[in-house]
């Protein structure tokens, strides 16, 4: 393996969730996971994911397969590095898991707030609302590397492990969330 570029190096879960108030029962089920991946520069990077402890094996297996298949991931850094600002993280094309927040336009805690969701390459894989508005405000082009498609590698790797993909949600919820994967009952 070539030189490993370190993108995230929190020493503990406490560091990776600092500055955020959220219920202890959620904190108790979270883990900080080191992952290696190919970034868009073609080099191997190391990042970190904060995720529910029951999903650690899934995340490790998925990232190992993505690395082997050279599926590019821009960066993987806990959202604390973006001041818990989901929009800033997306604009940085950051792939991430835990972020204690509500679902936009509601008062319900997001699956990210429970540690059971993971977003991949938001700039290639936008969320498209019922109104057609994209977040982040970018296009969706399956021909661009790092884009998740129905029959592509990333979607398959998550779905094989019973994760639900937001790219399949048009008929169910009236939205598409190409970056988003979740596993409701880990």
């Amino acid at each position: 393996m070539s030189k490993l570029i370190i993108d995230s190096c929190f020493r503990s879960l406490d560091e990776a969730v600092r500055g955020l108030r959220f219920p202890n029962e959620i904190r108790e089920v979270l883990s900080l996971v080191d992952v290696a991946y190919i970034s868009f520069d073609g080099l191997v990077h190391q990042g970190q994911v904060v995720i529910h402890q029951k999903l650690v094996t899934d995340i490790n297996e998925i990232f190992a397969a993505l690395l082997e298949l050279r599926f590019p991931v821009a960066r993987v850094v806990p959202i604390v590095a973006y001041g818990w600002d989901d929009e800033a993280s997306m604009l940085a094309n950051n792939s991430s898991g835990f972020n204690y927040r509500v679902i936009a336009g509601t008062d319900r805690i997001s699956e990210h707030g429970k540690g059971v969701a993971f977003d991949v390459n938001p700039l290639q894989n936008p969320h498209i609302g019922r109104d057609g508005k994209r977040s982040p405000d970018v296009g969706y082009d399956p021909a661009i590397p790092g884009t998740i498609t129905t029959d592509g590698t990333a979607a398959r790797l998550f779905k094989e492990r019973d994760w639900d993909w937001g790219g399949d949600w048009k008929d169910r919820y009236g939205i598409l969330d190409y970056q988003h994967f979740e596993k409701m009952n880990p």
Side-chain angles (χ1 to χ4, degrees):
M1 189 182 323
S2 62
K3 180 181 178 222
L4 186 66
I5 298 170
I6 307 296
D7 291 333
S8 178
C9 59
F10 292 101
R11 293 182 304 258
S12 69
L13 177 64
D14 286 340
E15 279 187 19
V17 298
R18 74 178 179 270
L20 182 67
R21 294 178 51 127
F22 62 101
N24 279 335
E25 61 266 17
I26 293 175
R27 180 183 296 266
E28 291 170 0
V29 300
L30 296 176
S31 291
L32 178 64
V33 182
D34 293 335
V35 295
Y37 55 94
I38 296 290
S39 191
F40 287 95
D41 60 9
L43 302 174
V44 179
H45 290 242
Q46 178 184 302
Q48 294 176 308
V49 176
V50 176
I51 199 81
H52 192 289
Q53 62 194 13
K54 290 184 178 178
L55 299 177
V56 169
T57 298
D58 283 0
I59 289 296
N60 281 327
E61 290 173 356
I62 290 164
F63 269 91
L66 292 173
L67 177 64
E68 183 178 325
L69 296 167
R70 302 189 63 81
F71 180 91
V73 178
R75 67 184 43 83
V76 185
V77 178
I79 292 186
V80 65
Y82 298 92
W84 298 106
D85 184 333
D86 193 50
E87 196 68 28
S89 176
M90 286 191 298
L91 290 173
N93 208 15
N94 184 49
S95 299
S96 63
F98 174 75
N99 185 5
Y100 192 75
R101 61 177 175 78
V102 297
I103 298 169
T106 76
D107 60 356
R108 293 187 330 248
I109 298 300
S110 161
E111 300 311 312
H112 287 281
K114 301 170 190 172
V116 297
F118 190 76
D119 290 344
V120 179
N121 292 338
L123 292 183
Q124 286 74 29
N125 303 294
H127 172 280
I128 303 172
R130 288 180 187 88
D131 60 1
K133 184 177 178 192
R134 297 167 186 264
S135 180
D137 189 16
V138 295
Y140 174 74
D141 183 351
I144 296 175
T147 301
I148 301 168
T149 61
T150 300
D151 56 351
T153 299
R156 178 182 50 78
L157 290 169
F158 278 93
K159 289 178 178 184
E160 286 174 351
R161 290 161 180 82
D162 297 321
W163 290 64
D164 192 27
W165 178 44
D168 291 332
W169 289 356
K170 183 70 171 170
D171 293 336
R172 189 179 335 160
Y173 301 116
I175 64 168
L176 289 167
D177 198 353
Y178 292 110
Q179 64 194 267
H180 184 85
F181 293 92
E182 64 186 34
K183 192 168 185 178
M184 303 293 278
N185 298 304

